Amino acid sequence: MPILATKMNEESDAVKPQVESKVTASVLDAFDLLKAPKDDVKLNGGSKIISQLQGSENEKDLKYVLKRLVRSLGANLPDMRTGYFATLVALLSNFEQVSVAQLLELIKKELHSNGSSKSEVGDVALGQILVCGAIFRSGRIFKCTSEEQAQVIQLLLNAGKKKSYLSTVAYLILLDFVKGVDEEQFGSVIWPLLKADFKKDIKEHSLDSLYFLMVISSKFPDKVKLRKLIGATEILCEDNIHTICEKIMTGIDFNTVGHPIYKEIATKMADSPHLQLFWTSGIDSQLVKHNRNRELVAVNMLTTILNNITENMEILPELISKNFFKLFMDWFKGLQTASKIRSKRDNEDDNKIMIKKQRELLNTLAKVLKSKKVDNSVQVAILKKMLFNPGEINFTEITGTTLVKSIISDLNEDGVKKMAKLFKGVLLNTSKKAIKEDVERNWYNNERVKAAELLSYLVSHESVKDDTEFKLTYMKLLMCFGFFKVGGDEAVTISSELSSSIKSCFYRCFTSRFSNVDNLVEVLSSLCGFICGILEKEQVRTKIEKQFPQENMECWELLMEVCQTIEKNDTKSKVDKVFLILLYQLGLFLFSEPTHVKIARSSIKELKSCYEHYRKGKKKKPKIVKEGDLSSEPEWIEVLVEVLLSILSAESSVLRSVVQCVFRLLWEFLTPSSIGQIVSVLDPESDSNPLTQDNSDAEDDENEEEEEGENEEDSEAETEDDDESDSQMEDDDEEDLKIPDQLKIAVQKALGAAAPESDTESIDADMIDEEEGKKLDDALAEAFKQFRHGKGKATKKDRKDKKALSDFRIRVLDLIDIYLEKDPSMDVCLGMIAPLTRCLEFCIQDNQFSELENRLRKTIKSLGKVRKFSSIDGVDMETLSEYLKATIDKGGRSHFLFQALGDVITFFATFIIHCSLKIKQPKSPKKVKSCPPFVNILKESLQSYFQNRNCMLPIIFFHNVLQTEWDGSYELVPVIIENIFNDNVRHFRRSEGLELLAGFYRSLKRNKPTTDKSLKNLLSIEANFESTLVKTLKSETEFAVKNNFFVLLKKLINTMKMFHESCNVESKLDFKAILDIVGSCKGSVSQINNKQANEKQNNQQKQNKKSKKNKKKRKLEQMNGHAEPKQKKIKKTSESE
């Protein structure tokens, strides 16, 4: 501990016994709070000291407190100084009798050092600075003599010179004071005392004095005459820039990195006309070699400049200066720098500090470049700096940012073409990579691949979407490298690795959707024609024949023959374009990896046969097949859909986008059977379900052999971009598919002939002898043993298969979404309900299908929102009733599974209701009230919800049904009214019934009833409600209710009243009388309720003790909102609305 602190403790111990009799004890105790680590406690201690002094008549108290506060500010305890400083400021503000002269005298006595310790000198000087700061903060500086003012400011400046780090503190305290005074006070009191110290050349200023001068010259320009002080009208003038840059960029340590002068200078230079000179000649010239602190200052200053720049946008490329950006990239590359071998603090990590700050800089640059003031030339110039010189073409990978693609996405057509020429030079190696001045080299292969990748990004750019010539130019260039290993000079050989990577970039050109189908056909046709021209060269054809099997070439010739036949048609129909797109695109995949080649070959052959079948059908009946017209022959479309599904099985984002493109063209030709083919792929119980096709064993070896080749050759193009369908592998301990079903199968195999025919039957143990029983035990034990061993051991192949299945089904869901975008057929939509539900059940039971589950729910929502249909043929009210009954039927589903499907069941039920509104009901004979069959189903379900404990339908189901705009809801309300006042219905179900009625009336407020039928039904419902309520509440029969029943009932009545008032709908209800009835009978009913409810509660507790199983079941039901809550309090209290 420093000598001063030790001496203070000794003096404190020695003085304390002498002053204890004179100084109030509570004042002494409050000083302990000032040492607390929390600011709240310190403030509490300071307020206690001030309040004690204000209420004390003992003069010794004030003298003691003042002396101790001044002395303690010089202690080597940073946490303690905060509390003592705040208390001293408060004391000076509240006690006018304490003079500045008295404080100066105390500083001389208490804050002095013996010079025996350097740290003691710094602590004492800091204490002096803080006392001066307290004088400033309290405003005492204006209440003393001019001589005392000069002493205080001189004391502050002298103390700041004792240590280098104290200078910053002194000027910051002085600056904090100056910012709070007006110009007159500054000119008359402060500036005359400081002026002499600032009248010197810029070179002689320190960072602190220069920063102070910059701030006060901006705040008081009329008082601070810079020309008389430094010989110039502004500090950051052209003549001073080099001097200032040299001053701020030399001698930087870790403590001065955050000095406020750097931010001040950067802010002023942002829109200065000297910005380019400041950065390129001033800052960049200081960054010749690595120095962590200097580079950190440069990064922080450039970030501040970018945050404040508004006018100098044309200077932005110059800010990416040569020296600065070279050192900037070195940190991202992880190169050894000079700062890595110096001594560092424990909490310093150069790499983390620099990388964090540099990423902040790049994010700020990205925001600036989004400004409308940034033109295309600036964007292109910045890209050149980043990607060529002084940057790297692999800038994105090195920095881990998306800045380059962000800038490219904002380019216009001219900018895209300029950048394409630059990347073409890299790919062809006609340009050179600059390393140093007059030192260049050829581009490396990985850099050429990056150029090809960026070219593919430019080809699919939005600004050139209709420029077919531009697209073809650069796609043919990529094709030469990728397909034929031919570069700018055919004599130059290209490695297979480079060729494969560039081939991936070529396929990536098709990932973006073409705005015009004709343009897509034109591009594909030109590319395939270009391939035919290249293959005519004997040297290239020989190379291709060595690379690919003869079957590929035969398939290519077959494809071109079919395409030429289609191209001969003067006017091409949509179907012709579909076949051209598919054939050309699959033809390009004949030069891809083996997996895609196999799919392409088989699909091309099927498409040829399909097109011939289509042409024959067209000659027989030239009319276009209409939606729902089953009399025509739809075989060709079914075959085509099968081909599309086969193509989707390949993990390729390109093929996925192609299938989506052609599927939109085929929409009007789709038939229910063809849509059924697509939906069946999603249905786990369908024969076409991928899980049921046991054909994976034959391809296991082939897939394993190809796996390595896929990763090396084309993994980037076919898997990296397919980000919508890709999902991460789950851990090895994931459960297998449908474990309960697997266990059931294993048990059935073990039972053999003894296995029951259905799940509801059981084995009669009396019919099995001892020997058979022993065999049965062994078989069952083995089944469970195998199940337990295999439970947590999902192999890599199993996980891969699950992922492939999930991704494939997600791609199929894309087709269903496209079909639902336009007006689909009602019978097709209804037919999707069951398969989609079964697929969702399948996903819920396995966590590895969570991504597919989310995607499936999205499609189900889209289906539920369909309101327009192209055809309603084959659908009547009986059909809708069957679909509704199948949808809400629990069937063999478990309790958990049915509840997990609650929202989906609700979507489908409301969808079926909307479908019913499109069906014209046959007119019924007069005086016979007709009720749709599915309304009766809903009424039965609603009755079961109130009466049956086993009803699993959620309350939101009935809320949505009642709030749907249809006349059937009026048929359901009487069922609710009947059960609300039924004493046999559980209490919480009655409360939910009141909520359902309130929701019904809120929906009426949104969908105001206007027809005579609706108004008549409403009057009938309200009359029924009034009669039932009055009959129940005024009868002498005991009616038990929960304590919140009447609260909800009053809310319901008020909701009904508000509906009639806001919508101006006539009502025969006397709402005031009804509310009076509810309030008047409430007290008598509650007395009966207390007794009955307590008896029911006791009976329930007895039943709970008898059966633990029932207790668990009720607990589960209560968690899911289906069990009666525990009755804690029966007495009801009236609440006024």
Side-chain angles (χ1 to χ4, degrees):
M1 179 180 290
I3 295 173
L4 176 63
T6 308
K7 183 178 179 181
M8 286 169 49
N9 292 335
E10 290 174 357
E11 288 180 2
S12 177
D13 295 336
V15 174
K16 219 172 184 179
Q18 298 174 10
V19 293
E20 268 183 3
S21 59
K22 299 179 182 180
V23 180
T24 307
S26 58
V27 174
L28 295 172
D29 294 338
F31 273 96
D32 293 334
L33 299 176
L34 298 180
K35 303 175 184 179
K38 293 184 178 180
D39 292 340
D40 293 342
V41 182
K42 292 176 183 177
L43 292 174
N44 187 28
S47 62
K48 282 186 177 181
I49 291 174
I50 300 301
S51 61
Q52 288 289 340
L53 291 176
Q54 288 175 336
S56 174
E57 298 178 357
N58 188 353
E59 295 181 0
K60 297 291 183 181
D61 287 351
L62 180 58
K63 291 181 180 180
Y64 173 77
V65 170
L66 187 61
K67 179 180 178 181
R68 186 167 176 180
L69 289 175
V70 172
R71 184 177 61 187
S72 299
L73 287 175
N76 187 18
L77 297 171
D79 290 338
M80 189 174 74
R81 286 197 192 106
T82 310
Y84 279 83
F85 176 78
T87 307
L88 180 59
V89 173
L91 187 146
L92 295 177
S93 302
N94 288 279
F95 294 91
E96 296 291 336
Q97 62 267 37
V98 179
S99 65
V100 173
Q102 189 178 352
L103 282 171
L104 292 173
E105 189 64 27
L106 278 173
I107 291 173
K108 290 179 182 179
K109 289 182 179 180
E110 303 298 333
L111 293 175
H112 61 84
S113 59
N114 297 328
S116 57
S117 170
K118 290 183 179 181
S119 62
E120 183 179 346
V121 173
D123 293 334
V124 170
L126 181 57
Q128 294 172 351
I129 292 171
L130 291 174
V131 174
C132 294
I135 294 173
F136 293 150
R137 284 278 179 95
S138 61
R140 283 304 180 85
I141 190 69
F142 298 113
K143 298 178 182 180
C144 60
T145 64
S146 58
E147 185 180 349
E148 288 172 344
Q149 291 173 348
Q151 288 180 9
V152 171
I153 292 178
Q154 196 60 44
L155 176 64
L156 177 69
L157 297 176
N158 289 338
K161 296 175 183 177
K162 296 290 179 65
K163 293 287 183 181
S164 59
Y165 63 88
L166 291 178
S167 175
T168 305
V169 179
Y171 275 106
L172 286 176
I173 285 182
L174 185 58
L175 197 58
D176 177 68
F177 168 60
V178 169
K179 287 179 179 178
V181 301
D182 56 33
E183 189 171 1
E184 183 180 352
Q185 291 172 327
F186 175 78
S188 60
V189 179
I190 302 168
W191 185 234
L193 300 173
L194 298 173
K195 187 175 181 180
D197 292 333
F198 288 91
K199 195 171 184 180
K200 52 188 176 183
D201 191 73
I202 285 287
K203 295 179 180 179
E204 298 176 15
H205 276 282
S206 65
L207 291 182
D208 303 311
S209 63
L210 188 60
Y211 172 62
F212 183 80
L213 184 60
M214 291 178 69
V215 175
I216 63 172
S217 63
S218 299
K219 185 173 176 62
F220 307 110
D222 295 335
K223 298 295 181 183
V224 182
K225 305 294 184 181
L226 289 176
R227 181 175 290 279
K228 294 181 180 180
L229 296 175
I230 61 174
T233 55
E234 58 178 338
I235 297 174
L236 295 172
C237 64
E238 186 175 355
D239 295 335
N240 291 338
I241 282 180
H242 286 91
T243 305
I244 292 175
C245 289
E246 187 176 352
K247 182 176 288 293
I248 65 176
M249 296 298 286
T250 54
I252 305 172
D253 58 26
F254 193 68
N255 293 320
T256 57
V257 164
H259 198 286
I261 192 173
Y262 298 116
K263 185 175 182 181
E264 183 71 18
I265 291 175
T267 304
K268 290 183 179 297
M269 291 304 304
D271 287 324
S272 169
H274 311 307
L275 176 59
Q276 183 173 348
L277 174 67
F278 167 77
W279 188 261
T280 56
S281 181
I283 301 298
D284 192 64
S285 61
Q286 301 288 330
L287 300 172
V288 179
K289 59 181 180 179
H290 278 289
N291 179 291
R292 196 279 308 272
N293 294 331
R294 194 159 49 222
E295 293 172 64
L296 195 54
V297 165
V299 169
N300 288 337
M301 290 183 71
L302 184 53
T303 304
T304 305
I305 289 172
L306 293 174
N307 277 321
N308 292 277
I309 194 168
T310 56
E311 300 298 331
N312 284 332
M313 295 301 181
E314 69 279 359
I315 308 296
L316 286 176
E318 301 302 327
L319 298 181
I320 305 177
S321 50
K322 188 174 182 180
N323 292 336
F324 169 76
F325 210 65
K326 179 184 180 300
L327 302 181
F328 183 91
M329 296 298 291
D330 282 349
W331 286 103
F332 280 116
K333 294 175 184 177
L335 299 181
Q336 290 292 327
T337 62
S339 59
K340 294 198 173 186
I341 59 174
R342 63 178 175 81
S343 58
K344 296 184 293 185
R345 300 180 184 181
D346 293 337
N347 61 345
E348 286 186 54
D349 186 332
D350 290 350
N351 223 45
K352 287 184 179 179
I353 292 171
M354 291 302 298
I355 295 297
K356 180 182 178 182
K357 291 294 182 181
Q358 291 184 171
R359 286 214 170 115
E360 289 177 6
L361 170 60
L362 293 177
N363 291 334
T364 307
L365 178 60
K367 292 178 183 177
V368 173
L369 292 175
K370 294 291 183 181
S371 171
K372 294 181 180 179
K373 295 181 180 180
V374 178
D375 59 20
N376 192 69
S377 60
V378 172
Q379 294 171 331
V380 172
I382 287 178
L383 285 172
K384 287 181 181 179
K385 292 266 190 175
M386 286 184 172
L387 299 175
F388 295 96
N389 189 20
E392 301 280 349
I393 198 167
N394 293 317
F395 181 87
T396 299
E397 288 73 22
I398 293 172
T399 61
T401 63
T402 58
L403 178 59
V404 171
K405 285 195 174 181
S406 175
I407 299 173
I408 291 177
S409 64
D410 294 330
L411 292 176
N412 59 18
E413 184 177 358
D414 183 56
V416 168
K417 292 181 177 180
K418 285 180 180 178
M419 294 307 301
K421 287 181 181 178
L422 293 173
F423 296 140
K424 179 181 178 182
V426 176
L427 186 59
L428 296 174
N429 236 333
T430 54
S431 64
K432 304 294 180 183
K433 167 66 176 173
I435 303 175
K436 298 178 182 178
E437 289 185 10
D438 302 326
V439 179
E440 295 180 337
R441 64 165 172 81
N442 288 331
W443 294 96
Y444 298 142
N445 277 358
N446 67 318
E447 293 170 331
R448 297 171 73 184
V449 169
K450 185 62 184 178
E453 181 185 323
L454 291 170
L455 266 179
S456 67
Y457 187 67
L458 291 174
V459 166
S460 56
H461 198 280
E462 182 68 18
S463 61
V464 292
K465 61 181 180 180
D466 296 323
D467 194 338
T468 307
E469 183 181 354
F470 172 81
K471 288 178 181 288
L472 285 171
T473 300
Y474 289 98
M475 290 176 79
K476 288 176 182 178
L477 176 65
L478 294 175
M479 183 186 289
C480 286
F481 275 88
F483 285 17
F484 312 114
K485 299 183 181 180
V486 177
D489 185 357
E490 295 185 12
V492 178
T493 57
I494 299 174
S495 66
S496 297
E497 185 178 349
L498 176 61
S499 174
S500 176
S501 299
I502 295 178
K503 185 192 298 183
S504 303
C505 299
F506 167 76
Y507 287 122
R508 200 175 286 123
C509 295
F510 294 97
T511 52
S512 63
R513 186 188 301 177
F514 278 71
S515 59
N516 191 323
V517 175
D518 292 331
N519 286 351
L520 176 58
V521 174
E522 181 183 351
V523 168
L524 290 171
S525 176
S526 298
L527 290 175
C528 290
F530 180 73
I531 292 176
C532 290
I534 289 283
L535 290 177
E536 290 177 0
K537 298 180 180 180
E538 186 177 349
Q539 183 181 357
V540 176
R541 189 175 185 87
T542 304
K543 189 186 297 186
I544 290 294
E545 288 176 350
K546 290 180 180 179
Q547 188 177 355
F548 297 100
Q550 181 63 27
E551 189 178 357
N552 279 28
M553 304 311 298
E554 294 174 356
C555 192
W556 172 260
E557 292 173 359
L558 174 69
L559 173 147
M560 292 308 298
E561 181 182 344
V562 176
C563 289
Q564 286 171 5
T565 303
I566 302 175
E567 291 278 13
K568 290 178 182 178
N569 298 333
D570 295 332
T571 56
K572 299 182 185 66
S573 64
K574 285 186 179 180
V575 179
D576 290 335
K577 293 176 183 177
V578 165
F579 279 101
L580 281 176
I581 292 171
L582 287 175
L583 287 169
Y584 281 140
Q585 192 74 66
L586 290 170
L588 296 178
F589 272 87
L590 288 174
F591 302 93
S592 182
E593 61 181 68
T595 306
H596 294 150
V597 167
K598 184 178 179 181
I599 293 175
R601 282 203 306 254
S602 60
S603 300
I604 288 170
K605 293 175 182 177
E606 291 179 9
L607 284 172
K608 177 180 180 296
S609 174
C610 181
Y611 182 72
E612 292 173 352
H613 192 83
Y614 162 72
R615 295 294 297 175
K616 290 178 182 177
K618 190 175 181 181
K619 288 179 181 178
K620 292 179 181 177
K621 189 176 182 179
K623 290 184 180 180
I624 296 177
V625 181
K626 294 182 179 180
E627 181 79 29
D629 187 3
L630 301 178
S631 61
S632 57
E633 294 184 359
E635 289 86 355
W636 71 270
I637 187 66
E638 293 178 10
V639 175
L640 188 55
V641 167
E642 196 68 36
V643 174
L644 295 181
L645 291 175
S646 174
I647 295 172
L648 279 182
S649 65
E651 291 187 7
S652 168
S653 57
V654 178
L655 292 176
R656 180 180 185 178
S657 61
V658 168
V659 170
Q660 291 177 10
C661 174
V662 300
F663 194 76
R664 284 184 168 86
L665 298 175
L666 289 172
W667 184 89
E668 61 185 283
F669 303 98
L670 293 172
T671 61
S673 58
S674 60
I675 294 295
Q677 288 177 269
I678 299 172
V679 176
S680 64
V681 175
L682 302 169
D683 190 356
E685 297 182 6
S686 172
D687 292 337
S688 60
N689 170 27
L691 282 181
T692 62
Q693 297 177 0
D694 191 15
N695 58 356
S696 60
D697 293 338
E699 297 179 2
D700 284 350
D701 296 335
E702 182 182 351
N703 289 339
E704 290 176 3
E705 290 174 2
E706 293 173 0
E707 185 176 359
E708 183 178 355
E710 290 174 9
N711 292 336
E712 292 179 357
E713 292 182 2
D714 215 6
S715 60
E716 289 183 6
E718 314 308 335
T719 60
E720 180 181 312
D721 291 339
D722 198 6
D723 51 5
E724 291 181 17
S725 65
D726 286 349
S727 57
Q728 294 183 349
M729 295 291 187
E730 297 292 332
D731 295 330
D732 288 342
D733 58 350
E734 286 291 333
E735 294 183 356
D736 289 341
L737 290 174
K738 301 180 73 173
I739 285 176
D741 293 342
Q742 290 183 346
L743 180 60
K744 188 188 297 183
I745 293 170
V747 171
Q748 287 177 346
K749 288 182 179 179
L751 293 175
E757 294 182 0
S758 66
D759 293 341
T760 57
E761 300 179 19
S762 59
I763 301 172
D764 190 352
D766 295 332
M767 299 297 293
I768 303 176
D769 56 28
E770 185 175 351
E771 185 177 354
E772 289 180 352
K774 188 175 180 180
K775 291 180 180 179
L776 187 59
D777 287 343
D778 293 339
L780 287 172
E782 182 64 24
F784 279 102
K785 183 178 179 181
Q786 291 178 358
F787 169 71
R788 186 182 62 187
H789 284 314
K791 182 176 181 181
K793 295 184 179 180
T795 64
K796 182 178 179 180
K797 181 182 179 303
D798 292 336
R799 294 195 305 275
K800 186 177 179 181
D801 289 345
K802 286 183 181 181
K803 179 182 178 299
L805 173 63
S806 175
D807 292 346
F808 173 54
R809 284 180 165 171
I810 287 174
R811 291 192 286 271
V812 172
L813 285 172
D814 291 339
L815 302 185
I816 294 180
D817 286 343
I818 292 171
Y819 178 74
L820 296 176
E821 284 176 3
K822 299 184 180 180
D823 301 340
S825 174
M826 184 182 288
D827 61 335
V828 173
C829 292
L830 291 170
M832 291 182 185
I833 293 177
L836 292 179
T837 305
R838 286 194 291 268
C839 186
L840 186 59
E841 292 175 26
F842 175 79
C843 296
I844 291 173
Q845 296 178 73
D846 194 323
N847 291 333
Q848 278 192 260
F849 292 102
S850 58
E851 186 181 358
L852 175 59
E853 178 187 346
N854 296 333
R855 184 66 180 76
L856 195 58
R857 288 183 182 276
K858 182 180 176 182
T859 299
I860 289 173
K861 285 184 179 180
S862 300
L863 174 59
K865 292 177 181 178
V866 175
R867 295 293 179 266
K868 294 181 179 180
F869 303 95
S870 61
S871 169
I872 58 173
D873 296 341
V875 181
D876 54 20
M877 299 306 292
E878 290 294 335
T879 307
L880 292 177
S881 301
E882 292 174 4
Y883 276 112
L884 179 63
K885 191 172 183 179
T887 300
I888 65 176
D889 185 24
K890 181 175 180 291
R893 303 186 186 105
S894 65
H895 177 91
F896 163 78
L897 189 58
F898 190 78
Q899 284 194 325
L901 295 171
D903 59 333
V904 172
I905 292 172
T906 304
F907 282 134
F908 285 145
T910 54
F911 172 69
I912 292 172
I913 291 173
H914 283 292
C915 289
S916 69
L917 301 178
K918 307 291 183 182
I919 306 297
K920 293 182 180 180
Q921 301 184 34
K923 294 183 179 180
S924 57
K926 293 184 178 180
K927 297 183 181 181
V928 178
K929 188 177 180 181
S930 62
C931 185
F934 72 87
V935 174
N936 292 329
I937 295 173
L938 290 173
K939 290 172 72 173
E940 292 173 5
S941 300
L942 188 58
Q943 187 72 23
S944 175
Y945 181 75
F946 285 105
Q947 302 285 346
N948 187 2
R949 288 178 177 267
N950 295 327
C951 180
M952 295 290 103
L953 288 172
I955 188 172
I956 191 66
F957 173 86
F958 298 104
H959 266 299
N960 284 17
V961 169
L962 285 169
Q963 294 181 31
T964 302
E965 191 176 1
W966 68 304
D967 293 338
S969 57
Y970 295 101
E971 305 286 342
L972 302 178
V973 174
V975 179
I976 301 174
I977 295 174
E978 175 191 346
N979 284 280
I980 287 175
F981 299 103
N982 188 342
D983 196 34
N984 295 323
V985 176
R986 287 166 291 168
H987 296 292
F988 83 100
R989 285 291 192 224
R990 290 188 228 166
S991 298
E992 288 181 343
L994 293 173
E995 293 287 357
L996 287 173
L997 271 184
F1000 170 73
Y1001 269 91
R1002 284 192 292 268
S1003 67
L1004 288 181
K1005 193 174 180 180
R1006 294 191 300 269
N1007 307 315
K1008 181 180 176 182
T1010 53
T1011 62
D1012 293 338
K1013 182 180 179 181
S1014 300
L1015 295 173
K1016 184 178 179 181
N1017 288 333
L1018 188 61
L1019 290 173
S1020 174
I1021 287 171
E1022 291 179 346
N1024 181 21
F1025 173 78
E1026 183 181 24
S1027 62
T1028 308
L1029 182 145
V1030 173
K1031 179 181 177 181
T1032 304
L1033 297 185
K1034 286 195 171 183
S1035 66
E1036 298 180 357
T1037 309
E1038 296 178 352
F1039 178 60
V1041 292
K1042 293 286 289 183
N1043 57 345
N1044 65 336
F1045 180 82
F1046 287 104
V1047 176
L1048 294 174
L1049 183 57
K1050 291 174 71 175
K1051 285 184 178 179
L1052 170 62
I1053 296 170
N1054 286 322
T1055 302
M1056 296 167 66
K1057 182 181 177 182
M1058 289 173 61
F1059 158 69
H1060 285 284
E1061 291 175 351
S1062 61
C1063 296
N1064 297 322
V1065 176
E1066 182 184 358
S1067 175
K1068 294 183 179 181
L1069 292 179
D1070 186 348
F1071 293 105
K1072 186 176 183 302
I1074 295 174
L1075 288 171
D1076 291 340
I1077 292 172
V1078 174
S1080 62
C1081 69
K1082 186 176 177 181
S1084 59
V1085 174
S1086 64
Q1087 293 176 359
I1088 300 171
N1089 289 349
N1090 287 335
K1091 182 177 178 182
Q1092 288 184 344
N1094 284 328
E1095 289 177 357
K1096 288 185 178 182
Q1097 185 175 0
N1098 293 333
N1099 292 335
Q1100 186 179 1
Q1101 290 176 354
K1102 290 179 182 179
Q1103 291 174 359
N1104 289 346
K1105 292 178 181 179
K1106 290 180 181 179
S1107 175
K1108 291 184 179 180
K1109 184 176 180 181
N1110 290 341
K1111 181 178 178 181
K1112 291 180 180 178
K1113 182 177 179 181
R1114 278 191 295 274
K1115 184 177 179 181
L1116 178 63
E1117 290 176 344
Q1118 187 171 347
M1119 289 171 62
N1120 290 286
H1122 294 281
E1124 182 176 358
K1126 188 176 180 181
Q1127 298 175 345
K1128 293 183 178 180
K1129 186 176 180 181
I1130 307 301
K1131 185 176 180 181
K1132 293 161 289 301
T1133 58
S1134 62
E1135 296 184 17
S1136 61
E1137 295 299 313

